[in-house]
């Protein structure tokens, strides 16, 4: 079905179900609970989950399949964002043309960068991509200010009059999908729980599912097998007479187009863009997402993106006053000591928590969170096998008593 094996189809259905039910899954605590601050089911965060999931899926096509580590993918995210915002400013507020332009321009830019960078491999390739990204950031920040808006960036203004829009003289346009406002939401209250269903999230989720489906097809295709051959031993592949450059360049461009799609969706959800989106830290973030979730796996990058964005938006909000509320039942001395110990790892120190988590994953779970899940599943399978074996032995003893 859909050209997928039964196993891949099951994975796709699970991802689709989790995506569609995210408002329920990410809001496990009632709004009047002290743990409600751990709920992540609000529109902005859910949108970030799926958009950065797309970004990480695309990066994984390059890094996970070919082994080429790019430190410059944020450049394609930024190019896609700028192309999308200009499409909205000049042509239409409908997000589809903006997203298409984001993908096209990011793909063209990736073609240029890849053509130059893929002449080298290893650390030299990584440094070249980082150099391109930093040059792009510098251009956007201080050189191409009439196009990029410089430090302040670009956003929709009352002076913007898209060609295919009917805005009044002072009206600020809103991104939409054939009239559906990206910020339109429906809230459902069930007891003390509040669930928000946002139009922008489900539109971004649909693009994420499409991106995930394409990634599955790429992974299982002969093209994907060629990319794995590049990762396994590119030199031996070249000795057989196969030219690997067209394959790696195609993977690089596809990966850049995924980044452009993510950039276009970011503009569709929040109609503004700045040069910080192209900074090297954004490129490093997608590397962390992919490795944390599991490079070379299908679902891993999505899991990694979700975990990092959750920590960035939830763990960063925890402060000392919240900790004191949690430990208020303890004696004052122990309460203060616990707050003192935990303080560096929360709030602005959430990066320290992420760093420690990343170190533990790299050391003990080189395959990322996916490997952790596989190990847990293997333990349960062994227990089931052992239980079945014991039952079988008991049945045999009953049939043939000594």
């Amino acid at each position: 079905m859909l050209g997928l094996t039964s196993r891949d189809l099951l994975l796709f259905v699970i991802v689709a179900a989790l995506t569609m039910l995210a408002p329920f899954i990410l809001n496990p605590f009632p709004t009047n609970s002290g743990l409600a601050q751990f709920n992540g089911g609000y529109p902005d965060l859910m949108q970030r989950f799926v958009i950065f999931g797309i970004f990480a899926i695309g990066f994984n096509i390059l890094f996970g399949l070919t082994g080429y580590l790019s430190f410059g993918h944020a450049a394609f995210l930024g190019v896609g964002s700028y192309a999308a915002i200009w499409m909205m400013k000049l042509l239409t507020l409908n997000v589809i043309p903006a997203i298409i332009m984001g993908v096209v321009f990011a793909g063209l830019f990736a073609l240029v960068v890849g053509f130059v960078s893929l002449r080298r491999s290893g650390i030299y390739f990584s440094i070249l991509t980082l150099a391109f990204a930093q040059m792009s950031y510098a251009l956007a920040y201080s050189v191409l200010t009439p196009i990029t808006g410089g430090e302040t960036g670009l956003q929709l203004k009352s002076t913007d009059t898209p060609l295919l829009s009917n805005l009044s003289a002072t009206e600020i346009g809103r991104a939409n999908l054939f009239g559906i406002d990206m910020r339109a939401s429906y809230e459902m209250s069930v007891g003390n729980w509040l669930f928000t269903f946002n139009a922008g999230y489900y539109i971004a989720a649909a693009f994420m599912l499409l991106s995930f489906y394409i990634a599955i097809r790429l992974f299982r295709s002969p093209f994907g097998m060629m990319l794995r051959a590049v990762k396994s031993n590119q030199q031996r592949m070249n000795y057989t007479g196969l030219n690997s450059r067209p394959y790696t360049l195609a993977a690089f461009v596809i990966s850049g187009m995924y980044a452009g799609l993510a950039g276009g969706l970011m503009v569709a959800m929040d109609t503004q863009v700045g040069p910080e989106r192209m900074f090297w830290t954004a490129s490093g973030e997608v590397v962390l997402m992919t490795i944390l979730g599991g490079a070379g796996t299908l679902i891993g990058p999505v899991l990694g993106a979700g975990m990092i964005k959750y920590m960035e938006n939830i763990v960063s909000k925890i402060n000392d006053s919240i900790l004191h509320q949690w430990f208020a039942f303890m004696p004052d001395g122990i309460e203060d000591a616990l707050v003192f110990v935990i303080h560096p790892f929360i709030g602005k120190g959430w990066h320290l928590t992420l760093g420690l988590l990343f170190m533990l994953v790299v050391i003990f779970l080189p395959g990322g969170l996916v490997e952790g899940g596989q190990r847990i599943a293997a333990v349960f399978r062994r227990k089931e096998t052992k239980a079945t074996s014991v039952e079988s032995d008991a049945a045999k003893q009953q049939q043939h008593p000594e």
Side-chain angles (χ1 to χ4, degrees), residues 187-269:
E187 292 185 347
M188 183 176 71
S189 180
V190 180
N192 293 322
W193 280 265
L194 183 66
F195 306 106
T196 304
F197 303 90
N198 174 256
Y201 165 72
Y202 279 103
I203 291 168
F207 278 101
M208 193 278 284
L209 291 175
L210 177 62
S211 303
F212 188 68
Y213 171 75
I214 294 173
I216 295 176
R217 297 300 301 269
L218 284 174
F219 267 63
R220 306 306 185 213
S221 67
F223 174 72
M225 293 179 65
M226 293 297 292
L227 296 181
R228 287 190 178 89
V230 170
K231 183 178 182 179
S232 177
N233 195 322
Q234 186 175 3
Q235 189 174 22
R236 181 178 296 176
M237 182 179 173
N238 292 333
Y239 285 158
T240 63
L242 292 172
N243 183 9
S244 61
R245 280 201 65 192
Y247 296 98
T248 53
L249 180 58
F252 192 90
V253 172
I254 293 171
S255 184
M257 292 172 73
Y258 267 76
L261 173 60
L265 284 170
M266 290 176 74
V267 171
M269 302 305 130

Side-chain angles (χ1 to χ4, degrees), residues 50-70:
V50 293
I51 291 173
F52 279 91
I54 293 171
F55 191 20
I57 290 171
F59 180 80
N60 188 48
I61 292 174
L62 177 68
F63 177 57
L65 289 181
T66 69
Y68 277 78
L69 177 58
S70 168

Side-chain angles (χ1 to χ4, degrees), residues 286-367:
V286 74
V287 176
L288 291 179
M289 291 173 181
T290 305
I291 296 176
L292 184 62
T297 64
L298 286 166
I299 191 63
V302 180
L303 296 177
M307 174 164 284
I308 288 180
K309 287 303 163 183
Y310 183 84
M311 294 181 67
E312 178 183 340
N313 289 271
I314 302 298
V315 177
S316 63
K317 293 179 181 178
I318 302 174
N319 52 37
D320 287 356
S321 63
I322 294 176
L323 292 179
H324 280 294
Q325 291 177 12
W326 289 353
F327 303 126
F329 65 94
M330 294 184 173
D332 291 343
I334 298 178
E335 176 187 337
D336 293 338
L338 286 173
V339 172
F340 177 78
V341 172
I342 299 175
H343 171 79
F345 300 93
I346 59 170
K348 294 181 179 179
W350 74 272
H351 288 96
L352 181 58
T353 304
L354 176 61
L356 291 174
L357 177 64
F358 185 74
M359 288 173 57
L360 292 173
V361 167
V362 170
I363 294 171
F364 298 105
L365 296 172

Side-chain angles (χ1 to χ4, degrees), residues 67-128:
Y68 277 78
L69 177 58
S70 168
F71 282 129
H73 256 54
F76 311 128
L77 185 75
V79 168
S81 296
Y82 280 116
I85 194 68
W86 273 111
M87 179 59 66
M88 287 187 178
K89 281 176 169 288
L90 299 177
L91 184 62
T92 176
L93 294 171
N94 192 315
V95 298
I96 296 299
I99 291 171
I100 291 174
M101 283 298 101
V103 172
V104 170
F105 275 82
L108 292 174
F109 187 51
L111 180 63
V112 175
V113 174
F115 182 79
V116 176
S117 302
L118 287 169
R119 295 176 179 274
R120 295 291 179 265
S121 60
I123 188 63
Y124 304 104
F125 167 80
S126 301
I127 295 300
L128 278 172

